[in-house]
């Protein structure tokens, strides 16, 4: 059973997961250094997810200029992420949450009980969640909403 969904003002659960390059990333390593845009998405190589990662890719420079790091997370394997990131020239990290443990810790809901949900979190430099956007279909809302909060946090 999933935990209650992490919300505004909550401390973001820490994790260490493998990336598409086979290295590991730990969320708390960004503490006091960068805002983190953490987006959970259902599956590599699906139409909606490809649109979402390409939108984050196309805005990546704006995120980094505002002091943020972008991390995508799904339950796909490291090798699937490696192919997906290569195919779409993704400049940010994809992490593999095989088994969905981190998804459960964040309380990211499933759609129709089977399809992993699509939720974006903006986590400030102290590890506190400052923005949550949950929509399977409003792909642009994930990027636009996160960018607005990241720029406000930088100001």
């Amino acid at each position: 059973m999933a935990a209650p969904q992490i919300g505004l003002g909550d401390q973001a659960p820490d994790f260490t997961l493998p990336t598409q390059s086979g290295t590991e990333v730990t969320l708390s390593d960004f503490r006091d250094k960068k805002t983190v845009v953490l987006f959970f998405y259902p599956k590599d190589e699906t139409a909606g997810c490809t649109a979402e990662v390409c939108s984050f890719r196309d805005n990546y420079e704006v995120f980094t200029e505002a002091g943020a790091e972008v991390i995508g997370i799904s339950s796909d394997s490291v090798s699937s992420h490696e192919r997906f990131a290569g195919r779409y020239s993704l400049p940010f990290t994809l992490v593999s949450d095989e088994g969905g443990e981190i998804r459960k810790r964040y309380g990211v809901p499933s759609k129709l009980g089977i399809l992993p949900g699509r939720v974006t979190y903006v986590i400030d430099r102290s590890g506190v969640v400052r923005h949550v956007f949950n929509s399977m279909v409003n792909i642009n809302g994930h990027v636009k909403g996160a960018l607005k909060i990241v720029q406000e946090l930088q100001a």
Side-chain angles (χ1 to χ4, degrees):
M1 173 140 177
Q5 187 171 359
I6 296 298
L8 294 178
D10 290 343
Q11 194 70 34
D14 197 18
F15 61 81
T16 299
L17 289 171
T19 71
Q20 75 265 32
S21 63
T23 60
E24 288 191 331
V25 69
T26 300
L27 182 62
S28 58
D29 286 349
F30 296 98
R31 186 116 354 117
D32 299 324
K33 296 181 188 109
K34 291 184 176 212
T35 297
V36 175
V37 176
L38 180 66
F39 70 98
F40 287 85
Y41 66 98
K43 187 148 185 52
D44 292 347
E45 303 294 352
T46 58
C49 297
T50 299
E52 184 179 19
V53 299
C54 289
S55 186
F56 274 110
R57 176 199 65 202
D58 296 345
N59 289 279
Y60 182 69
E61 195 172 308
V62 184
F63 279 107
T64 58
E65 285 171 359
E69 190 53 55
V70 175
I71 300 173
I73 181 169
S74 80
S75 57
D76 293 296
S77 68
V78 168
S79 59
S80 176
H81 281 341
E82 184 180 27
R83 286 189 304 275
F84 190 46
R87 176 170 295 158
Y88 296 102
S89 302
L90 304 181
F92 51 83
T93 300
L94 297 179
V95 294
S96 177
D97 181 27
E98 286 192 87
E101 181 58 36
I102 304 308
R103 180 177 290 277
K104 288 184 192 106
R105 285 183 43 207
Y106 274 77
V108 174
S110 295
K111 299 300 173 199
L112 309 172
I114 50 166
L115 188 64
R118 183 186 313 280
V119 180
T120 298
Y121 297 89
V122 176
I123 303 162
D124 72 13
R125 291 169 188 239
S126 56
V128 175
V129 175
R130 296 294 174 201
H131 175 75
V132 180
F133 187 79
N134 180 353
S135 175
M136 287 299 279
V137 293
N138 184 355
I139 303 301
N140 288 336
H142 286 271
V143 175
K144 285 181 180 161
L147 197 50
K148 180 177 182 283
I149 299 301
V150 164
Q151 289 170 329
E152 286 173 8
L153 288 171
Q154 183 194 33

